[in-house]
Amino acid sequence: MHSVWAVAKNTLAQAIRMKVAVIIIILLVILLPLMSVIMVGDGTLLGKLQTFVSYGLSLTGLLLCLLTITVSTFTLTNDIRQMQLHLVVTKPIKRFEILCGKLLGVVILDILLLSVFASVIYCLTLLIPRLSKAGADELAGAGREFFTARVSLSADVDEDKIDMLAKQAYEKLERSRQLPESMTKEQILSELRGRERTQAQAVEPGAQRVWEFENVRLADPNEMLFVRYKYEVSVDPPDYRVYGTWLIGDYRQIQYGLGDWESPVARIERSELIRQFHEFEVSAEVVASDGYLALIFANNPYLNMTTIIPQEVQVLLKTGSFTGNYIRAVLLILARLIFLATLGISVSTWLSFPVAVLICAVAFFVGTINGFVLESLGVLDQTPNIIYNLTLRPILWLMPRLDGRFNPTHYMISAEVLSWRFLGQVYLMMVFVKSVFLLIFGIWIFSNREIAKVVV
Amino acid sequence: MAAKDEHYAIETFSLTKIFPDWWGRAKVIAVDGLDLKIRYNEIYGLLGPNGSGKTTTLKVLLSLLRPTKGRAVVLGGETRDTKISAQIGYLPEESYLYKYLSARETLDFYGRIFGLAAKVRKSRIDTLLEMVGLAGMANRPVGTFSKGMTRRIGLAQALINDPELLILDEPTSGMDPVSTRQMKDLFLQLARRGKTILLCSHLLADVEDVCDRIGILYGGRMRVEGDVKSLLQHSDEKQIHTGPISNDVLGQIERLVRAEQAKYEVSSPMDKLEDFFIRTVTEAQEQKLPTSGAVSTGEIGGFLAEGEQTSNILDRLVSAPVARESESQPGSAETAEPEPAVAEADQDTDLLEQLTKSSTIPDRRDITTATEPVETVVDDQEDVNRDVLEKLTGGTERQDTSIDKSGPDQPGEDKDA
């Protein structure tokens, strides 16, 4: 362990002397306070907080990822090129200890820098409301919708039904010999599933749609719950706004006309922009005593001329604190830094610095769109394509997931709780499975490598 | 210790290293069937022109390269074994140190790798910095050092673990004559205290001064190997040193020599430029004239010299009698090289004793005085020796001649020739 620690200390000393590290540190020191002043979001306090935390964390995450890639690929390749490693390996140190020491050094650097700059963002975030001229309502709103952590409940789409409808539509096309010749059966079915899914979510003028939730439990019945959604439309209205009517409560009371209602039903009517997330709050009293809750969206034909498709409808319940959620979000960033550090160290055991940097950068940017890539190639998952299964599929599996649910700003903006369970799953997969796999691969290569090899 | 049970500190068996091209085709044969045997407690000089395979041999010994064929055994095992590498000190040809670390941090880094306790580490670092004359520059980054200073800190890192075996590649390259002399004294003293040293150098005078045996590589193969004295001594010629004598006496001597029909030459001895230089610098140091360069104490590090300070095997050897263990081991005569005459051996021991006196005498003038016997002895045969070494490394035709000379001592070398 003393050898690992010696190499880690040396790597840390090497890293903080790198110009790229100094530049990134200076950039963050200047930009973060500046951003807290100049960013205004939509003009409200909530918008400013959301914008600052979102951009602040994204910028810090991005720059530290770039720094991690640079340092992790540089430290080993430079030691090999400058031949310092020729001396180190003659000492009583195992090759794997060198790699582990290098990795530990980079991770310590990441932890130090991430702690510092995450603390800066946190302090500035707490400072913004105090320095703003927002009224009491705005401050209270920021407290409810930002300085909190809420669990998100989503209504499941009945995929079996969608699949069945897609197959029926396919058979119909087949019978009428209207199947497009340029597409495979799987591609056609995928298209049809998407169409049926949209159709199932679509609410035509005069129609309504119901989302039902069970086991909605609140710690405090006096709390508020939040509904979050966005609208897609079949035809854009001239002012890009639609009028939504929402009923929130025990739908069974309405549906079956059960005498006196046990719980109240809230009615919300709002005119809102399409393709943007919106949120409203209702009292937790609307939840039935057995934890049942329904959301009903009605497309008022007198106010709307277009089919509305409410998407990503969620019910948010307060479940924790902003600070706890923020710490977990920062830990999520740390997971990606550890992965990139391991990838950088691993590939630099057999590649030169520029090539190793390129590979890490590609992995990082693929990671930021990995969800989209995987979704696009989802069709191939269902086919026995040997080339895909042996090449692209394992590579995509190995790539980090940095988008969507794996993006910490997603949780900060919506004040959605980032659970320890999910964080644990991310660490298990990204750090303990993928990173360890990469590290073992790197150790195997490095242990069998001739350090002083010359190709003539 | 298992390593000491073996007869040789370093032993290679048909060691071959071939460098391939990008396609994996054999392109350069750097080392070709090398059978190297270096006894414990011996200073062995590996010589050869550029590209002869010296450094490649060292790299294979240190597991920086894998042999294409054959194998190398160092201290009874492979250097990838950390138990073996813990007993080795390596000074590479170039500075392979981290430029951003200071001299102290550099030694601390390697000390930590060796797992030295903090107290021991600090003590050794202070001692070594003092020993190599860098105590005043302990906190300066190594990247700002001159080449000579870099060699000094390189040597210090090689000694931080108090090694059993020292592998030195061009140890005196870039060093001034005073430092070179001090370093040579240090090697002799280390060997006297039980260390084994493998030394690669182009500076033939350095090798000649300190090595017990030498081997000359050419084209990756061992061309000549043997005891330095037996290789260089002209047994058919004699030298006489006298104090001031009259011309009459000279005339009588000449007549006697002529009567034997032998070649006769008379001259007054000259100082070597090295001695003159060292004397000048020593005087300046005694006057404490200011300098920004390294100023070594010339003393061997305490932990290297004093057996009672530490308790490892190396220090037990250090505190052991000066006589070479391997030479006195029963059975070692079976494979040992032919021994020089007893008188010569005694003379060598006396010489070493005088050379290593410097470690116990802090005064710089005394150090210089102590090293002077090296010059006196070497002076006698210097011209002849240099000629022979140059012949050995000069060209194929000349090498063959040299090989013939060493034939009786090195029966195995005829094959290579």
Side-chain angles (χ1 to χ4, degrees):
Chain A
M1 190 60 197
H2 52 80
S3 304
V4 174
W5 183 240
V7 176
K9 263 187 74 179
N10 185 40
T11 306
L12 197 59
Q14 186 181 38
I16 58 174
R17 284 170 172 86
M18 287 173 68
K19 284 177 188 162
V20 64
V22 176
I23 290 170
I24 283 176
I25 290 169
I26 291 172
L27 268 178
L28 285 172
V29 165
I30 295 171
L31 287 178
L32 289 177
L34 196 65
M35 282 164 66
S36 73
V37 175
I38 60 171
M39 286 195 158
V40 290
D42 61 1
T44 63
L45 175 63
L46 179 65
K48 184 179 176 72
L49 287 166
Q50 287 174 332
T51 312
F52 172 65
V53 169
S54 162
Y55 280 88
L57 277 183
S58 297
L59 182 72
T60 306
L62 174 70
L63 290 181
L64 290 186
C65 281
L66 295 180
L67 178 66
T68 303
I69 289 171
T70 312
V71 171
S72 61
T73 49
F74 176 81
T75 181
L76 194 64
T77 52
N78 185 64
D79 280 10
I80 294 171
R81 195 166 53 87
Q82 300 285 334
M83 297 184 183
Q84 284 104 340
L85 212 60
H86 288 205
L87 189 53
V88 175
V89 296
T90 64
K91 309 296 178 195
I93 182 170
K94 300 270 188 193
R95 300 277 174 97
F96 81 85
E97 289 177 322
I98 296 174
L99 284 197
C100 291
K102 293 273 178 200
L103 179 61
L104 184 63
V106 180
V107 170
I108 289 173
L109 176 76
D110 284 335
I111 290 172
L112 285 176
L113 293 180
L114 188 59
S115 305
V116 169
F117 292 112
S119 302
V120 169
I121 295 171
Y122 181 77
C123 292
L124 289 171
T125 307
L126 295 185
L127 211 60
I128 285 173
R130 296 183 186 187
L131 299 178
S132 75
K133 294 172 183 170
D137 286 349
E138 239 186 319
L139 285 170
R144 282 196 309 271
E145 294 183 36
F146 184 79
F147 289 111
T148 184
R150 302 172 299 185
V151 68
S152 152
L153 304 175
S154 302
D156 294 331
V157 180
D158 190 348
E159 287 294 337
D160 289 341
K161 189 180 173 187
I162 286 171
D163 202 40
M164 187 190 74
L165 290 171
K167 281 179 181 166
Q168 285 175 356
Y170 180 84
E171 284 164 7
K172 195 176 171 184
L173 286 172
E174 195 175 30
R175 277 199 300 276
S176 58
R177 300 189 178 190
Q178 289 181 332
L179 289 174
E181 290 178 2
S182 59
M183 295 171 76
T184 64
K185 183 181 176 181
E186 281 304 322
Q187 285 172 326
I188 296 168
L189 276 172
S190 175
E191 287 276 328
L192 290 172
R193 275 191 211 99
R195 200 180 72 183
E196 292 298 336
R197 196 174 288 115
T198 306
Q199 212 157 354
Q201 292 173 327
V203 185
E204 292 171 358
Q208 65 178 37
R209 190 180 164 210
V210 181
W211 291 265
E212 291 176 291
F213 302 89
E214 289 176 351
N215 294 320
V216 180
R217 305 287 179 194
L218 284 103
D220 181 0
N222 297 321
E223 280 286 341
M224 305 296 281
L225 60 82
F226 303 85
V227 177
R228 184 178 161 84
Y229 54 91
K230 72 174 177 180
Y231 296 127
E232 283 291 337
V233 290
S234 58
V235 179
D236 287 358
D239 58 353
Y240 299 101
R241 284 176 169 270
V242 292
Y243 296 84
T245 303
W246 291 87
L247 294 173
I248 306 103
D250 187 350
Y251 178 60
R252 295 168 301 186
Q253 298 173 130
I254 307 168
Q255 196 176 13
Y256 306 120
L258 299 172
D260 292 337
W261 290 359
E262 284 184 4
S263 56
V265 174
R267 182 189 175 95
I268 306 285
E269 292 201 42
R270 306 177 81 177
S271 162
E272 288 163 325
L273 286 169
I274 57 173
R275 300 189 188 97
Q276 283 189 7
F277 276 102
H278 303 287
E279 204 172 299
F280 60 79
E281 60 175 326
V282 289
S283 166
E285 291 173 350
V286 297
V287 181
S289 56
D290 62 352
Y292 174 87
L293 180 71
L295 303 181
I296 303 143
F297 174 77
N299 188 351
N300 190 334
Y302 299 107
L303 299 172
N304 297 313
M305 301 291 286
T306 181
T307 299
I308 301 172
I309 310 155
Q311 290 190 330
E312 300 185 45
V313 178
Q314 297 170 320
V315 173
L316 302 167
L317 311 172
K318 187 176 185 305
T319 188
S321 69
F322 169 75
T323 305
N325 216 31
Y326 184 79
I327 290 170
R328 288 189 289 273
V330 171
L331 288 174
L332 195 58
I333 296 178
L334 182 63
R336 63 172 69 176
L337 295 180
I338 293 173
F339 175 85
L340 288 173
T342 318
L343 178 67
I345 299 275
S346 179
V347 295
S348 59
T349 56
W350 54 290
L351 293 173
S352 63
F353 174 65
V355 184
V357 164
L358 185 68
I359 285 187
C360 290
V362 167
F364 174 66
F365 288 111
V366 168
T368 58
I369 54 164
N370 208 353
F372 169 75
V373 174
L374 288 173
E375 200 176 307
S376 307
L377 297 171
V379 177
L380 291 173
D381 275 342
Q382 297 159 11
T383 60
N385 188 328
I386 294 173
I387 296 172
Y388 168 74
N389 286 330
L390 292 180
T391 55
L392 204 54
R393 195 171 180 181
I395 291 172
L396 283 174
W397 172 83
L398 199 58
M399 290 293 113
R401 291 290 307 272
L402 308 177
D403 56 346
R405 292 188 307 135
F406 301 87
N407 185 355
T409 58
H410 163 78
Y411 298 94
M412 289 291 100
I413 293 172
S414 60
E416 185 183 330
V417 71
L418 171 57
S419 68
W420 283 112
R421 184 191 171 88
F422 177 70
L423 193 65
Q425 286 172 348
V426 171
Y427 267 81
L428 178 70
M429 202 60 196
M430 205 184 278
V431 177
F432 295 108
V433 176
K434 292 181 180 180
S435 296
V436 168
F437 172 78
L438 286 170
L439 188 61
I440 290 171
F441 178 70
I443 287 170
W444 179 71
I445 298 252
F446 193 56
S447 298
N448 290 292
R449 176 177 177 168
E450 280 185 293
I451 296 294
K453 187 177 181 182
V454 179
V455 176
V456 290
Chain B
M1 185 177 291
K4 292 300 284 183
D5 297 337
E6 306 291 329
H7 189 67
Y8 295 106
I10 295 175
E11 196 171 8
T12 66
F13 303 92
S14 302
L15 193 70
T16 303
K17 181 64 194 175
I18 300 171
F19 289 114
D21 63 6
W22 196 84
W23 301 101
R25 296 174 300 190
K27 209 69 179 175
V28 174
I29 303 173
V31 181
D32 188 7
L34 181 67
D35 291 308
L36 187 66
K37 288 176 175 53
I38 300 173
R39 290 190 291 266
Y40 280 101
N41 194 13
E42 178 177 55
I43 305 184
Y44 187 95
L46 198 56
L47 306 176
N50 293 337
S52 59
K54 304 184 299 293
T55 301
T56 302
T57 304
L58 295 193
K59 285 180 176 174
V60 174
L61 292 177
L62 291 161
S63 298
L64 290 167
L65 290 170
R66 267 197 302 273
T68 310
K69 276 189 279 185
R71 69 189 185 101
V73 178
V74 179
L75 299 176
E78 286 190 13
T79 45
R80 284 197 74 161
D81 181 350
T82 51
K83 285 178 187 163
I84 302 293
S85 56
Q87 303 173 65
I88 297 174
Y90 170 49
L91 173 63
E93 186 179 4
E94 300 290 332
S95 171
Y96 294 165
L97 303 171
Y98 292 98
K99 292 184 173 63
Y100 49 85
L101 294 181
S102 67
R104 183 176 293 283
E105 287 168 339
T106 299
L107 297 183
D108 187 67
F109 171 64
Y110 290 108
R112 280 175 188 273
I113 288 180
F114 279 103
L116 301 178
K119 200 175 168 186
V120 176
R121 204 165 60 232
K122 187 180 179 310
S123 157
R124 286 193 182 183
I125 290 170
D126 289 339
T127 310
L128 284 169
L129 286 172
E130 194 71 31
M131 190 185 98
V132 298
L134 295 174
M137 283 147 269
N139 297 317
R140 237 174 80 178
V142 171
T144 64
F145 281 6
S146 68
K147 190 175 180 190
M149 287 154 76
T150 309
R151 300 308 286 162
R152 287 162 182 262
I153 189 67
L155 180 69
Q157 67 76 26
L159 294 172
I160 188 85
N161 59 322
D162 195 2
E164 181 86 8
L165 168 67
L166 262 173
I167 297 179
L168 309 167
D169 200 356
E170 303 288 351
T172 55
S173 129
M175 296 186 92
D176 61 66
V178 177
S179 311
T180 302
R181 177 72 69 88
Q182 287 169 347
M183 199 174 262
K184 286 191 286 189
D185 286 347
L186 174 68
F187 299 157
L188 289 168
Q189 190 154 355
L190 289 170
R192 200 162 67 88
R193 293 181 182 280
K195 321 285 187 190
T196 308
I197 299 176
L198 170 57
L199 191 150
C200 255
S201 181
H202 287 112
L203 302 173
L204 302 181
D206 294 349
V207 175
E208 187 187 338
D209 285 349
V210 298
C211 289
D212 300 319
R213 285 199 306 138
I214 57 166
I216 298 179
L217 285 177
Y218 188 85
R221 310 190 82 183
M222 186 66 82
R223 297 292 165 181
V224 171
E225 190 182 37
D227 181 86
V228 175
K229 278 201 182 331
S230 63
L231 285 175
L232 304 184
Q233 198 164 51
H234 288 205
S235 55
D236 55 346
E237 290 180 26
K238 301 294 173 197
Q239 275 184 324
I240 302 169
H241 282 258
T242 73
I245 53 172
S246 66
N247 286 338
D248 288 345
V249 177
L250 268 180
Q252 288 174 34
I253 294 171
E254 183 179 2
R255 277 194 297 280
L256 288 169
V257 175
R258 297 284 184 214
E260 291 277 326
Q261 296 186 333
K263 193 180 162 192
Y264 175 79
E265 195 179 313
V266 179
S267 64
S268 294
M270 284 178 67
D271 261 358
K272 283 173 71 180
L273 181 57
E274 184 186 356
D275 292 331
F276 182 73
F277 177 87
I278 289 170
R279 208 161 44 238
T280 308
V281 173
T282 307
E283 282 167 11
Q285 286 175 346
E286 280 173 354
Q287 291 167 20
K288 299 194 183 305
L289 298 179
T291 175
S292 60
V295 181
S296 169
T297 60
E299 292 179 55
I300 190 166
F303 70 95
L304 293 164
E306 294 171 22
E308 63 271 20
Q309 284 194 354
T310 48
S311 60
N312 64 23
I313 183 70
L314 212 146
D315 291 300
R316 289 204 294 279
L317 280 169
V318 166
S319 58
V322 172
R324 306 286 168 86
E325 286 183 5
S326 58
E327 287 173 11
S328 61
Q329 278 172 357
S332 63
E334 287 174 17
T335 48
E337 301 297 335
E339 296 293 331
V342 176
E344 286 177 358
D346 290 341
Q347 189 188 357
D348 283 352
T349 311
D350 291 341
L351 176 63
L352 286 172
E353 288 291 347
Q354 288 176 60
L355 285 167
T356 52
K357 270 181 188 169
S358 58
S359 69
T360 55
I361 304 168
D363 190 286
R364 191 168 297 283
R365 188 206 308 237
D366 292 338
I367 294 161
T368 313
T369 312
T371 58
E372 278 178 2
V374 174
E375 308 310 323
T376 314
V377 175
V378 174
D379 231 10
D380 294 342
Q381 294 185 332
E382 186 191 21
D383 295 335
V384 180
N385 294 351
R386 288 242 168 93
D387 285 345
V388 173
L389 283 169
E390 279 164 17
K391 277 178 190 170
L392 289 168
T393 55
T396 314
E397 199 173 324
R398 284 185 171 186
Q399 283 161 13
D400 289 342
T401 314
S402 304
I403 291 158
D404 289 340
K405 275 186 180 179
S406 63
D409 287 342
Q410 301 292 323
E413 296 302 321
D414 291 344
K415 176 168 58 82
D416 289 341

